[in-house]
Amino acid sequence: MIKKFVFVFFVGIFCVVAQNNTSYWQQQVDYTMKVDMNVENFQYEGTQELVYSNNSPDTLHQVFYHLHFNAFQPGSEMDVRSLNLPDPDPRVGNRVSKLTPEEIGYLKVSSLTQNGKPIMYKTEGTVLEVTLGKPILPGEKVTFSMNFNGQVPLQIRRSGRNNKEGIALSMTQWYPKIAEYDFEGWHADPYIAREFHGVWGNFDVTLTLDKNYIIGGTGTLQNPQEIGYGYESPGTTVKRKGKKLSWHFIAKNVHDFAWTADPDYLHDVVKVPNGPTLHFLYKNNKNIIDNWKDLQPKTVELINYFSEKIGKYPYEQYSVLQGGDGGMEYAMCTLITGERSFGSLVGVTAHEMAHSWFQHILATNESKHEWMDEGFTSYISTLAMNEVMKQNNPNSLRGLYNGYYQLAISGIEQPQTTQADRYSHNAAYGASAYSKGAVFLSQLGYVIGEDNLAKTIKRYFNEWKFKHPTPNDFKRVAEKVSGIQLDWYLTDWTQTTNTIDYGIKEVVDNNNTTKITIERIGLMPMPVDIYVEYNDSTIESFYVPLRQMRGEKENPIPSMKRTILPDWPWTHPTYSLEISKPKSEIKSIEIDITKTMADINPSNNAFSE
Ligand SMILES: [Zn+2]
């Protein structure tokens, strides 16, 4: 015991400032749930057996469950927050405040035991606070058994009944879901508007409901013959005995379980060669059927694109489900609204499917690191759309850069380390998480080179799949791949609102040479690529590494002559270089012609005669 203490003490000293350490561990859950849904009044009853493995080095005296559906009640944290935001999500607005008792959502726990013995619990909004009868020791496994009942809210946000396209049930965040406990402690965040975090584990879920309903969702159906699921052709009804049917799903190594159900669903199945089976469930509505058919081969291309660029999709199925109120990613499936133009339908599918990698498989805590989830997803799905839809846009990420530039000058920017629900404006959250998050990745390609960025993404997937990576974990992978130190990049970009602005200050003729002086105007330092074009139309580049990179990137344009100059220490506001040709031979000088460095003021980036 004493030896162990000494070891922990030393590790503690060296890791005190890190966001994560090398002794990674994560909790494990195994859910068995049986749920009976009444499709008349949208109320349901369930039992839940949860085997909880405490893989942490800590003794736990309490646990927490999320009860997300309680957010859909007048006076809830979600309701009051929406009423007080300057730019509330129009899907929420004041709608929660107007829900009647028959329309609200709720999740009520009616009994809870730990290894068979009743324990104390208390509901506080969207969180169930549980005081354990006996503490859970490190390495110990306990079983929590629960009875619960719920009511599906009118569709307001993400989950609900009778969405605007007529889908009966969009069942996301619908069950008592134990909160994650990790090296930072408990993540029992209230459900306010967005972002989820869950514990990795296995789900065995049996859903019993009206036999005329078709279900899609997380996991693999265990009793397809009994259901007729996957065998019926569109428009035909499978004869099912009795009033209700039970659908049995198993999902392994996921951190959530979502489903949808509707009596009018059409169901198409597409097998990806050497990949998963894709399921498409959408309304039998003649206005959307053609788009949903055309979406299917595009979805195959998309899953192949992501598998190639990030890592192989690891589950045996993926479902695109019409439901919800926009697009939202879940384990092995997405819920999207379906009455869209074809481009929009493919676009939303691309984005939500990319989340299978950057949210689901690489399960960052999206409440804390929303930019790793939305930003990385936006980056890869934008590139995927460019390819799959044959957009042939060499600057397909430009829109994301522009979103960031608008944020940077808006006056409402907050650092990306802001908790997802704690932004002063929804717009600031959106631009920070999606646009600035995507630029983080794209611009990293400018810092370490595009090849190293591609390698970093793949190695990040391999090292962190089925875990909860943090920003520092991603940074470490990029450092190991590139040999370039990146703490300055992660810190300035994600923990501050410092901006990048480099300019050409002066170009002076110096006998037969030219002296160029560059200045750093923005607070955030960067390496600088300078391109010089001569009167004979030849171009050469000069590369100024930032001193604390302690390394250099490869020549981004190998066909062009490049000179590596001495490092620029960030403390020095200006940097001068000398070119061995007279000023009269220079046609133009430009900083970063690739425009992947997010310089907020391009007007001072070029000089021309
Ligand atoms: Zn997203």
Side-chain angles (χ1 to χ4, degrees):
M1 276 312 277
I2 287 169
K3 264 186 189 161
K4 207 170 186 179
F5 174 77
V6 171
F7 174 73
V8 168
F9 176 71
F10 277 109
V11 168
I13 286 177
F14 294 118
C15 295
V16 74
V17 292
Q19 276 179 299
N20 205 343
N21 58 44
T22 47
S23 53
Y24 182 84
W25 51 266
Q26 67 187 16
Q27 306 295 62
Q28 161 81 24
V29 287
D30 292 287
Y31 286 93
T32 305
M33 290 193 276
K34 291 188 167 47
V35 175
D36 192 322
M37 172 66 75
N38 179 339
V39 297
E40 303 298 322
N41 61 9
F42 299 96
Q43 292 176 356
Y44 56 104
E45 294 199 9
T47 60
Q48 182 190 87
E49 192 178 277
L50 174 62
V51 179
Y52 186 84
S53 303
N54 179 15
N55 298 325
S56 82
D58 306 325
T59 299
L60 304 179
H61 297 272
Q62 53 184 354
V63 300
F64 301 92
Y65 288 77
H66 298 281
L67 305 172
H68 293 90
F69 272 8
N70 290 353
F72 303 101
Q73 297 172 7
S76 72
E77 287 147 299
M78 179 187 275
D79 180 31
V80 175
R81 172 68 171 160
S82 182
L83 294 172
N84 287 285
L85 263 171
D87 58 343
D89 186 321
R91 288 168 291 201
V92 183
N94 64 359
R95 291 177 63 213
V96 176
S97 70
K98 298 192 165 151
L99 292 174
T100 67
E102 291 72 38
E103 293 170 337
I104 63 166
Y106 61 73
L107 261 177
K108 292 178 184 168
V109 174
S110 51
S111 74
L112 181 61
T113 64
Q114 174 187 356
N115 290 341
K117 298 208 172 75
I119 45 177
M120 308 242 294
Y121 59 90
K122 188 176 161 207
T123 300
E124 291 282 2
T126 57
V127 174
L128 187 78
E129 303 170 349
V130 180
T131 307
L132 298 177
K134 250 180 101 180
I136 311 174
L137 300 176
E140 199 186 346
K141 211 178 245 201
V142 299
T143 302
F144 295 110
S145 300
M146 174 191 282
N147 289 307
F148 66 94
N149 60 87
Q151 177 168 289
V152 187
L154 204 66
Q155 178 78 36
I156 300 280
R157 191 71 185 98
R158 299 206 176 97
S159 308
R161 58 168 116 143
N162 303 325
N163 85 346
K164 67 175 187 199
E165 296 181 350
I167 304 298
L169 288 164
S170 298
M171 298 296 288
T172 67
Q173 313 297 340
W174 58 276
Y175 58 93
K177 179 179 169 179
I178 199 155
E180 182 60 297
Y181 179 84
D182 64 17
F183 73 104
E184 293 177 308
W186 284 103
H187 297 283
D189 294 316
Y191 183 39
I192 291 171
R194 60 171 65 94
E195 309 305 356
F196 306 100
H197 191 47
V199 190
W200 281 103
N202 302 311
F203 287 73
D204 181 320
V205 179
T206 304
L207 303 167
T208 301
L209 81 174
D210 185 304
K211 67 171 179 180
N212 294 313
Y213 281 60
I214 307 273
I215 296 182
T218 307
T220 308
L221 187 63
Q222 301 299 299
N223 55 341
Q225 275 80 0
E226 202 181 322
I227 298 291
Y229 187 79
Y231 297 93
E232 72 273 45
S233 42
T236 63
T237 316
V238 174
K239 287 200 179 73
R240 294 163 173 163
K241 289 177 198 150
K243 273 192 170 165
K244 285 192 168 183
L245 261 185
S246 292
W247 300 59
H248 180 201
F249 292 91
I250 287 182
K252 292 212 162 111
N253 218 6
V254 293
H255 52 82
D256 197 12
F257 189 99
W259 55 287
T260 60
D262 195 85
D264 299 327
Y265 265 150
L266 297 180
H267 174 213
D268 294 336
V269 181
V270 176
K271 176 83 180 75
V272 180
N274 303 314
T277 300
L278 303 178
H279 296 260
F280 297 84
L281 284 88
Y282 53 99
K283 217 57 178 170
N284 189 0
N285 164 355
K286 65 177 177 6
N287 297 324
I288 68 166
I289 290 176
D290 286 351
N291 278 350
W292 275 78
K293 294 280 182 202
D294 294 342
L295 171 66
Q296 295 167 21
K298 292 294 179 198
T299 309
V300 173
E301 286 183 57
L302 286 167
I303 205 159
N304 287 337
Y305 183 92
F306 299 134
S307 286
E308 187 196 317
K309 301 288 178 190
I310 314 170
K312 194 166 168 42
Y313 182 80
Y315 303 106
E316 57 192 57
Q317 80 165 59
Y318 184 81
S319 299
V320 182
L321 311 168
Q322 189 183 3
D325 55 19
M328 184 64 191
E329 70 276 9
Y330 299 99
M332 300 166 68
C333 66
T334 178
L335 271 64
I336 58 171
T337 47
E339 296 173 12
R340 297 164 174 266
S341 69
F342 182 58
S344 168
L345 189 66
V346 180
V348 73
T349 304
H351 180 93
E352 306 310 339
M353 181 186 258
H355 271 301
S356 287
W357 283 263
F358 296 124
Q359 187 274 333
H360 198 77
I361 303 165
L362 293 155
T364 47
N365 181 342
E366 49 179 333
S367 293
K368 291 180 70 103
H369 314 301
E370 54 273 13
W371 59 275
M372 293 180 79
D373 154 44
E374 296 300 350
F376 290 14
T377 294
S378 298
Y379 168 84
I380 203 78
S381 61
T382 301
L383 295 177
M385 280 296 282
N386 194 40
E387 180 153 317
V388 166
M389 298 301 276
K390 301 187 172 50
Q391 293 166 341
N392 296 319
N393 181 354
N395 299 310
S396 58
L397 299 166
R398 194 51 34 199
L400 292 160
Y401 276 82
N402 291 339
Y404 163 64
Y405 294 142
Q406 281 176 17
L407 173 70
I409 58 166
S410 68
I412 59 166
E413 184 182 5
Q414 292 171 257
Q416 287 183 306
T417 44
T418 306
Q419 206 272 1
D421 284 309
R422 299 270 302 124
Y423 284 83
S424 67
H425 292 69
N426 268 332
Y429 157 80
S432 176
Y434 291 73
S435 302
K436 194 180 181 186
V439 174
F440 173 91
L441 213 48
S442 172
Q443 183 173 248
L444 182 63
Y446 172 81
V447 177
I448 65 173
E450 292 296 332
D451 286 354
N452 280 336
L453 173 62
K455 283 182 201 154
T456 296
I457 291 170
K458 287 183 178 170
R459 183 161 164 186
Y460 173 54
F461 177 83
N462 277 326
E463 290 186 7
W464 287 99
K465 61 188 173 193
F466 307 116
K467 295 180 184 169
H468 294 304
T470 64
N472 197 61
D473 297 322
F474 180 79
K475 185 208 75 173
R476 291 294 295 127
V477 173
E479 286 180 336
K480 287 172 191 168
V481 166
S482 67
I484 290 173
Q485 303 301 308
L486 295 164
D487 205 51
W488 60 274
Y489 183 64
L490 181 71
T491 306
D492 262 55
W493 190 257
T494 69
Q495 300 175 24
T496 77
T497 55
N498 292 349
T499 53
I500 298 161
D501 180 12
Y502 281 89
I504 298 170
K505 190 173 188 214
E506 211 173 39
V507 180
V508 181
D509 209 13
N510 205 357
N511 295 325
N512 266 333
T513 64
T514 308
K515 188 180 168 202
I516 303 170
T517 302
I518 310 289
E519 64 178 328
R520 179 176 62 76
I521 300 154
L523 278 173
M524 178 163 175
M526 286 290 280
V528 184
D529 287 343
I530 300 152
Y531 295 84
V532 179
E533 184 176 4
Y534 302 104
N535 290 338
D536 63 3
S537 291
T538 56
I539 307 177
E540 66 172 316
S541 73
F542 297 86
Y543 172 48
V544 189
L546 182 67
R547 185 175 279 175
Q548 66 260 50
M549 286 165 61
R550 313 289 170 201
E552 290 122 29
K553 72 171 165 185
E554 295 283 315
N555 185 352
I557 311 174
S559 58
M560 189 184 288
K561 184 192 166 203
R562 183 182 78 157
T563 306
I564 301 176
L565 298 174
D567 292 347
W568 184 345
W570 75 266
T571 47
H572 297 29
T574 60
Y575 184 99
S576 294
L577 59 142
E578 193 144 285
I579 296 193
S580 59
K581 288 191 183 180
K583 194 178 168 191
S584 58
E585 282 187 37
I586 294 173
K587 193 197 279 180
S588 66
I589 304 167
E590 192 171 345
I591 294 172
D592 180 30
I593 55 173
T594 66
K595 297 190 167 48
T596 40
M597 182 175 83
D599 188 315
I600 62 157
N601 176 19
S603 71
N604 54 11
N605 286 14
F607 161 88
S608 56
E609 275 300 330

